[in-house]
Amino acid sequence: MKIEISKMLQKKKKQIIDLWMKNQLADAGLREDLMSNDELRVQSEELVDALLKRLNEENLADIDSSDFDEIYEILGGISITRARQGFSPRETGVYIFSLKDALLEILQQEFKNDATQLYNATIKVGKLIDNFGIVTFETFIKGREEVILRQTDEITEISTPVIRVWDGILALPIIGTLDSARTQVVMENLLQEIVNTGSSIAILDISGVPAVDSLVAQHLIKTVSATRLMGAECIISGIRPEIAQTVVHLGIDLSNIVTKATLASALKYAFSILQLEVRKKQSNSVKI
Amino acid sequence: MEKIPILRMGQFLLVTIQVDLYDRLALNLEADLVQMVSKTGARGVLIDISAVSIVDSFMGRIIGNIANMSKIMDAETVVVGMQPAVAITLIELGLPLTGVHTALDVEKGMELLRNKILVDGPENDGDDDDNASDSAE
Amino acid sequence: MDRRTMATMTTTPVTVLNKDSMLIVKEQDVVPFRNRVKEYATKIGMGLVNQTKLITAASELVRNMLRYGGGGNTLIEVVSKGRENGIRLTFSDKGPGIANIEMAMKDGFTTGKSLGLGLPGTKRLVSEFDIKSKPGEGTTVMIIKWKNG
């Protein structure tokens, strides 16, 4: 007589949950500090409930079946909330895989006289639960990725401030490596600020750039050329001796760009272009 | 056929491009401008592209042409008001428009033209100064 | 649903969400075409700089199609890949085709009266670039610009 695995499991729902809970509570790794046993039971019941409701003979063998979408959503939720509560990915994984132990135990009781059927059922259930485990890991990693992406955005945002140092003069200190994505942000911010303030001189300070290779130099030249197209002049300052050395050794031609060793000398140069003069105020007492 | 108006302001010609350029329109502008420079003896051409959202290689080439043609007719060309996105795109495209003078807005462009003409003016013959100012950019 | 998109990412790289096509036969069609591209790019929230790069690239390719292929058909598609959205443009003409694509993709190469930075310059403006051509049968160029690319 052939018993339908899904039907059989559905009938044993109460037993499955009890067994799963028993296994979990007996486990040495149980984290009562993070989640109460009642909560754990609610979570576990919800999952088993959803699983058994969806399960039938066809989709048992087909882990890609769209019948499981709801379960994957629940699993995703479990993975994310558990990660927030402080569970390690391993603990979440063990939680899901302990359901397999419970299911297999039930199968064993049911099919103890039919080795072939037990074998088939074990394979199918095992595959399904393994896949559930993978989903929780994927969701966990995806959550992490989102955090990283958001932080990357934030870093690019805060790491390229455009400072108005004088009427008509902007300064942009670049800290860190200049890759093409960053250059794009730097260029956009700088050019937009030139429009907003009507500044005709921009100083790009690269004191905080660890190394200038030909690619970085190319990005710098691009930024300078774009600034020029807008009708403003771009000075590069903060050329450290090491940078001067590598630039020349690599044969990079910066001769069309105004470069200064320090931000101060760049500012001085900018003043002279704008025909401004900064003088020490003569105090009355020290008149010569 | 549409035409882009060319205004005369003293020694200068002022062109404000307010429409999206297509190739024929740009070519006509090139021809009209050169005609006008010759007819009026203008010393400077100011092209305001602040309303232009797309400059591709063809239009970039037309702008370069206008500058070069005016130059041999003794008129300087200044392009003003290029939008940041347009500037970034032109650089990426590989078109830095090196022979063209630029300024942020019409006012600064006018000032630049006046200075160029002063340097170039009748009191000195200008050849040396001209070269010097070009190589400085 | 999450697992599903992840699985599809590796097998089918790009899904089409929306499409539109436009016939380009004369120079005056170029401006409306550019506007149409802009409309779609704005709709998916593409930033101004990337929009400008995309439209400029489109402008170059449409000109090539008019000049060398005698006009042709354009396809505007909103596509997605993983978490990225983008615009895909396809330009197909039934012109003479390009005999040596490798040459045509080199900076400074031209057969017509232009600067010769059309194709390589255009490639630099977009995220993905693909050109197929058969001499005597025509040329198809496909570009994708991702929203944040």
Side-chain angles (χ1 to χ4, degrees):
Chain A
M1 177 197 72
K2 189 168 161 75
I3 309 170
E4 286 195 11
I5 304 169
S6 54
K7 289 263 166 55
M8 184 275 289
L9 287 174
Q10 271 148 11
K11 263 182 243 150
K12 302 251 169 189
K13 186 169 112 184
K14 176 92 178 43
Q15 242 176 299
I16 294 171
I17 294 172
D18 285 344
L19 200 54
W20 189 16
M21 281 309 289
K22 200 187 89 199
N23 287 348
Q24 288 189 69
L25 295 180
D27 187 22
L30 181 70
R31 298 293 296 266
E32 276 174 287
D33 52 331
L34 296 176
M35 188 187 259
S36 75
N37 291 342
D38 288 341
E39 274 178 88
L40 187 62
R41 190 172 181 102
V42 172
Q43 198 172 63
S44 309
E45 267 175 13
E46 188 194 11
L47 187 62
V48 173
D49 215 36
L51 171 63
L52 295 183
K53 209 166 66 195
R54 297 284 163 169
L55 203 63
N56 58 42
E57 282 316 282
E58 287 106 66
N59 62 25
L60 183 59
D62 174 23
I63 53 172
D64 280 328
S65 163
S66 62
D67 296 347
F68 293 137
D69 281 357
E70 190 198 332
I71 296 159
Y72 291 133
E73 232 160 81
I74 294 173
L75 284 170
I78 289 176
S79 175
I80 287 173
T81 46
R82 281 185 163 241
R84 282 203 199 111
Q85 284 162 333
F87 283 95
S88 70
R90 164 186 276 269
E91 282 162 344
T92 308
V94 168
Y95 165 71
I96 298 298
F97 291 130
S98 64
L99 170 60
K100 183 158 74 177
D101 296 340
L103 288 173
L104 293 186
E105 216 173 308
I106 301 278
L107 290 177
Q108 210 169 8
Q109 289 169 15
E110 275 312 303
F111 299 126
K112 52 177 176 276
N113 298 323
D114 186 346
T116 324
Q117 199 158 22
L118 175 60
Y119 174 75
N120 285 335
T122 307
I123 294 275
K124 282 180 188 164
V125 170
K127 253 197 186 145
L128 192 64
I129 303 294
D130 287 349
N131 197 50
F132 286 2
I134 293 171
V135 172
T136 61
F137 278 104
E138 270 179 351
T139 319
F140 182 81
I141 292 168
K142 223 171 141 208
R144 282 291 152 97
E145 263 173 8
E146 264 156 29
V147 172
I148 294 170
L149 276 179
R150 208 180 48 238
Q151 283 173 343
T152 315
D153 282 351
E154 256 164 47
I155 291 170
T156 20
E157 202 58 43
I158 55 173
S159 62
T160 50
V162 183
I163 306 157
R164 198 170 168 185
V165 283
W166 207 268
D167 201 23
I169 306 174
L170 295 177
L172 204 160
I174 302 175
I175 317 271
T177 321
L178 204 56
D179 58 12
S180 56
R182 186 116 185 269
T183 309
Q184 172 101 358
V185 177
V186 166
M187 246 201 256
E188 274 185 58
N189 286 355
L190 180 64
L191 299 194
Q192 194 51 53
E193 208 52 28
I194 287 175
V195 174
N196 293 350
T197 59
S199 301
S200 49
I201 295 176
I203 304 170
L204 218 56
D205 189 83
I206 57 166
S207 323
V209 177
V212 174
D213 55 15
S214 44
L215 207 61
V216 173
Q218 213 186 357
H219 291 320
L220 287 173
I221 293 170
K222 268 187 192 169
T223 311
V224 172
S225 315
T227 317
R228 204 199 68 86
L229 274 182
M230 303 265 308
E233 189 168 355
C234 191
I235 307 164
I236 294 184
S237 76
I239 312 268
R240 285 176 282 121
E242 313 89 88
I243 289 185
Q245 275 179 311
T246 41
V247 163
V248 171
H249 283 157
L250 289 173
I252 300 163
D253 183 18
L254 292 181
S255 59
N256 291 323
I257 297 175
V258 182
T259 49
K260 298 283 168 195
T262 61
L263 183 64
S265 49
L267 195 57
K268 213 186 264 171
Y269 175 79
F271 282 151
S272 75
I273 295 179
L274 295 179
Q275 291 168 333
L276 293 170
E277 204 181 3
V278 182
R279 266 184 309 177
K280 188 167 187 170
K281 203 168 165 187
Q282 292 213 329
S283 70
N284 291 335
S285 53
V286 213
K287 223 169 200 169
I288 310 162
Chain B
M1 170 145 277
E2 281 182 279
K3 239 181 178 356
I4 293 166
I6 302 170
L7 305 177
R8 187 176 169 184
M9 284 180 73
Q11 286 184 292
F12 306 137
L13 297 178
L14 177 63
V15 183
T16 306
I17 303 175
Q18 298 277 15
V19 291
D20 269 323
L21 284 176
Y22 50 91
D23 297 2
R24 173 96 342 244
L25 199 58
L27 280 171
N28 284 348
L29 176 67
E30 178 188 295
D32 290 352
L33 250 180
V34 181
Q35 284 293 330
M36 274 292 262
V37 170
S38 138
K39 209 162 74 187
T40 60
R43 300 296 312 281
V45 177
L46 198 141
I47 306 174
D48 178 10
I49 59 165
S50 55
V52 177
S53 54
I54 298 296
V55 176
D56 64 10
S57 65
F58 187 82
M59 294 170 235
R61 186 160 65 107
I62 297 279
I63 292 174
N65 284 355
I66 291 174
N68 290 334
M69 292 169 186
S70 308
K71 183 96 188 166
I72 35 180
M73 295 168 74
D74 197 25
E76 295 287 347
T77 304
V78 177
V79 173
V80 306
M82 187 183 291
Q83 292 177 11
V86 173
I88 293 173
T89 304
L90 275 178
I91 294 302
E92 210 65 58
L93 198 56
L95 212 68
L97 298 182
T98 28
V100 184
H101 301 295
T102 51
L104 282 177
D105 50 38
V106 175
E107 204 181 312
K108 291 199 171 76
M110 281 289 183
E111 205 180 297
L112 183 69
L113 275 182
R114 267 186 223 111
N115 289 340
K116 289 252 174 266
I117 288 170
L118 268 186
V119 172
D120 231 19
E123 57 268 46
N124 58 33
D125 256 331
D127 267 353
D128 290 343
D129 284 320
D130 208 75
N131 288 339
S133 69
D134 271 350
S135 58
E137 268 153 325
Chain C
M1 162 258 157
D2 284 336
R3 194 197 53 90
R4 205 148 292 273
T5 47
M6 283 205 169
T8 49
M9 245 173 84
T10 43
T11 48
T12 35
V14 168
T15 19
V16 178
L17 305 174
N18 196 353
K19 62 157 86 184
D20 194 355
S21 73
M22 222 172 139
L23 207 62
I24 308 280
V25 287
K26 55 184 190 300
E27 217 180 82
Q28 276 79 353
D29 297 338
V30 174
V31 173
F33 170 71
R34 291 202 301 234
N35 291 341
R36 187 82 64 91
V37 175
K38 191 180 176 69
E39 235 172 74
Y40 279 94
T42 315
K43 225 187 274 169
I44 65 163
M46 193 184 277
L48 186 62
V49 174
N50 281 343
Q51 255 185 48
T52 308
K53 286 183 178 174
L54 172 68
I55 300 166
T56 308
S59 187
E60 300 286 340
L61 293 173
V62 163
R63 174 175 307 106
N64 280 349
M65 201 167 80
L66 277 170
R67 186 170 301 167
Y68 303 111
N73 201 23
T74 58
L75 189 63
I76 308 172
E77 290 166 305
V78 178
V79 292
S80 84
K81 177 174 161 185
R83 63 179 82 228
E84 272 277 50
N85 273 357
I87 300 285
R88 177 162 72 185
L89 302 176
T90 313
F91 306 81
S92 16
D93 67 52
K94 302 234 178 307
I98 302 170
N100 190 339
I101 290 183
E102 222 171 278
M103 271 292 255
M105 288 309 296
K106 272 200 187 122
D107 257 321
F109 176 81
T110 177
T111 53
K113 181 187 139 217
S114 74
L115 278 176
L117 39 83
L119 287 182
T122 306
K123 191 178 176 183
R124 282 195 292 271
L125 293 179
V126 295
S127 322
E128 281 170 43
F129 185 101
D130 183 55
I131 180 165
K132 285 193 181 69
S133 186
K134 265 207 181 137
E137 283 177 29
T139 306
T140 301
V141 182
M142 190 275 301
I143 56 173
I144 297 181
K145 185 82 186 165
W146 299 114
K147 193 176 136 190
N148 303 310

